[in-house]
Amino acid sequence: MSGEEPISGIGPGGRITLAHGGGGTAMRDLIERVFVATFHPEGTPPLEDQARFDLAAFAAHGDRLAFTTDGFVVEPLEFPGGDIGKLAVCGTVNDLAVGGARPVALSAGFIIEEGLELERLRRIVTSMAMEAARAQVPIVTGDTKVVPRGACDGLFITTTGIGVIRPDYQISIAGARPGDVILINGSLGDHGAAILCARGDLALDVTIKSDCAPLHDLAAALLQAVPQVRAMRDATRGGLAGVLTELAEASRVAIGVDEAALPVRSEVAGVCEILGLDPLYLANEGKLVAVVAPEHAEAALEAMRAHPLGVDAAIIGKVAAEGRPGTVTLINRFGGRRAVTMPSGEQLPRIC
């Protein structure tokens, strides 16, 4: 069935109407000719109310299931480097990957505002399908609702993912130990700065691309080199500051970060300087923070830099041998120190 066949119920200007959430032929057309045709181009699967799995296939890859869900409300829906669909796939894949899980399948729920252009929806769904194929994680089930104008802002997506964790991986946000080394796979704040510039509210003549990317291959490469990784976390909302403070609190350790070692693109640094923002707190959607024992630091760094998403990887700090548990300290280029605290609010709302 072609995804370009006419869809009944489309309103003036090629827009979604409430009929597409009404349970009739218009909704059936939308589901079959946009979602199913895009996510399953090889043929229409049976429209069951659930996806079904062979448990033996899971057991072949590990001894624990990982299960995660996330909602995406980014504005604008499309931005340099991505869109809400790509973001939804990458965000959920990454939440599985940083637990050491091999992502297996995703579900996707769509809340569509009456009036959304059908062509824009097609672009976003196609982007989701491409990113899921790139990550080799199928979207196996989903749901669609249409709400009246003003009830949401264009399109909201919720994705849920399941994955399988190998028995020898013991990764936890509470796993950091004194002396451990902290690494990141690349530059800070690209996604937050990209969204800020894409909104067009600022007279900035700069285009910054989001770092939105699936991190499961990078995480797998890191774990292959260093199976004993203590902790991993993707630095999304709250940025690196949020991740490090969570890590320090959960592991009951003090963390020191070297400002000179933090990778920040000059464009992002410029935007931050103009607007008084701190790249430590800006959102990322393709950055992985890892904690390893000191004897594994160089192997971990080498593995990250060998991957296309880790070429700018860096060692950025370490877990202190002493200090007040739950604290993070930034050491600047002149040896000065300042406390890094948990973000108290959003620097920028609706970024993911």
Side-chain angles (χ1 to χ4, degrees), residues 150-167:
C152 79
D153 192 0
L155 177 65
F156 296 162
I157 299 176
T158 297
T159 43
T160 297
I162 56 174
V164 186
I165 304 175
R166 279 176 33 173

Side-chain angles (χ1 to χ4, degrees), residues 7-11 15-31 34-35 109-118 121 142-157:
I7 296 174
S8 59
I10 291 296
R15 296 176 183 274
I16 300 294
T17 67
L18 289 176
H20 295 105
T25 56
M27 188 176 89
R28 179 74 175 230
D29 279 358
L30 184 71
I31 291 172
V34 175
F35 297 106
F110 297 84
I111 306 295
I112 305 170
E113 184 184 17
E114 176 192 16
L116 180 70
E117 303 93 333
L118 176 62
L121 180 63
D143 185 44
T144 302
K145 296 289 189 299
V146 180
V147 296
R149 292 176 190 272
C152 79
D153 192 0
L155 177 65
F156 296 162
I157 299 176

Side-chain angles (χ1 to χ4, degrees), residues 151-345:
C152 79
D153 192 0
L155 177 65
F156 296 162
I157 299 176
T158 297
T159 43
T160 297
I162 56 174
V164 186
I165 304 175
R166 279 176 33 173
D168 52 333
Y169 294 163
Q170 302 296 330
I171 300 167
S172 169
I173 192 71
R177 300 288 179 266
D180 284 352
V181 174
I182 301 166
L183 304 95
I184 193 165
N185 65 308
S187 56
L188 299 176
D190 294 2
H191 180 70
I195 295 298
L196 185 62
C197 294
R199 288 181 181 169
D201 297 332
L202 308 169
L204 297 176
D205 185 21
V206 59
T207 298
I208 299 173
K209 289 182 65 174
S210 167
D211 60 341
C212 184
L215 295 170
H216 64 305
D217 274 348
L218 174 65
L222 173 59
L223 286 167
Q224 184 173 15
V226 184
Q228 309 88 342
V229 168
R230 307 256 209 223
M232 284 197 290
R233 184 61 68 91
D234 53 334
T236 56
R237 280 179 300 172
L240 179 64
V243 168
L244 293 181
T245 50
E246 285 182 4
L247 179 66
E249 290 173 1
S251 297
R252 302 293 301 159
V253 296
I255 289 175
V257 182
D258 180 3
E259 184 181 47
L262 296 177
V264 181
R265 297 186 193 284
S266 58
E267 309 96 296
V268 174
V271 169
C272 288
E273 186 173 341
I274 291 170
L275 301 176
L277 300 175
D278 187 339
L280 272 180
Y281 292 87
L282 273 185
N284 314 272
E285 289 294 341
K287 292 301 175 298
L288 180 156
V289 177
V291 180
V292 301
E295 62 270 27
H296 299 309
E298 287 304 319
L301 184 62
E302 183 178 346
M304 293 174 87
R305 286 180 172 172
H307 191 278
L309 295 177
V311 293
D312 295 323
I315 293 173
I316 58 172
K318 64 181 181 180
V319 179
E322 52 188 36
R324 188 161 62 87
T327 60
V328 179
T329 302
L330 181 75
I331 304 162
N332 68 25
R333 292 171 172 78
F334 308 103
R337 295 170 175 261
R338 73 172 168 93
V340 176
T341 57
M342 181 72 75
S344 60

Side-chain angles (χ1 to χ4, degrees), residues 70-82:
D70 207 347
F72 297 87
V73 297
V74 66
E75 193 277 317
L77 296 176
E78 298 170 285
F79 47 84

